Amino acid sequence: MSQELWTAVDRYIAELLMPSDPALEEALRASADAGMPSISVSPPQGKLLMMLAQMLGARRILEIGTLGGYSTIWLARGLSEGGRLITLEVDPEHAEVARENIARAGLSDAVEVRVGRALDTLPAIEGPFDLIFLDADKVSYPEYLHWALKLARPGSVIVADNVVRKGAVIDAESRDQNVQGVRRFHEVLAAEARLSATAIQTVGSKGYDGFTIARVL
Ligand code: SAH
Ligand code: DHB
Ligand code: MG
């Protein structure tokens, strides 16, 4: 079982189930050209985010961690008619590339990119959101979860990316602050009676990782 195989299977899934998509492909190209890391969600993961939004009939989506707006475009495409998405990004250059990518995808009217540390911009955000996607610095995931709950309503769904970290999530002694962040995130989740959650391990073009999905009761 190897990275090479996981990548090949992701390609197989994308080729069969996801027709060529110039706006998304251009978003990845522009992000790479701008020197941004290739850590966007994979195409199959992006489509899952879109489908979750569609299944929820989402009218309002919040994303924390924009990068070049690849996941943003998928999520915004899942919005119901007239819906709006706000995405939070600390790096002004990432935000600028994201705005261009979002514009090329024809989604500028539906999407707002807010620049600043998410913990600084969150207090001015007004909920409720139907779907909240956490994908910024993993160290702050516990705080992001508190904010997500504050900005949600019963029935809202919170998705958090990169919560398995090659399995390191079970290492209580890990000195990796990202690992400690996702561990505390799950502890907050477990202690929170207003949330029902599961986590799914994944392999694919982005290696071995996973995502957590929580539903607000
Ligand atoms: N969701 C994107 C990938 C996000 S990568 C996609 O799948 O396409 C994580 C992003 O979070 C980076 O752009 C990084 O600059 C941003 N980030 C890191 N710390 C942050 C913070 N404190 N507040 C807001 N954004 C942050
Ligand atoms: C990293 C961040 C992500 O959101 C991701 O999906 C993969 C990697 C990172 O910071 O390395
Ligand atoms: Mg991620």
Side-chain angles (χ1 to χ4, degrees), residues 37-42 45 65 67 133-138 141 161-162 165 178 206 209:
S38 29
I39 55 175
S40 308
V41 294
S42 69
Q45 291 169 342
L67 194 65
F133 180 49
L134 309 184
D135 198 19
D137 57 307
K138 316 310 167 195
Y141 270 28
D161 195 22
N162 313 116
R165 315 207 65 85
N178 298 316
K206 294 187 69 186
D209 211 326

Side-chain angles (χ1 to χ4, degrees), residues 178-202:
N178 298 316
V179 171
Q180 291 302 338
V182 296
R183 285 181 60 83
R184 282 201 312 281
F185 167 81
H186 286 126
E187 284 154 20
V188 174
L189 205 53
E192 180 49 71
R194 286 171 295 170
L195 289 168
S196 164
T198 188
I200 299 297
Q201 305 183 65
T202 56

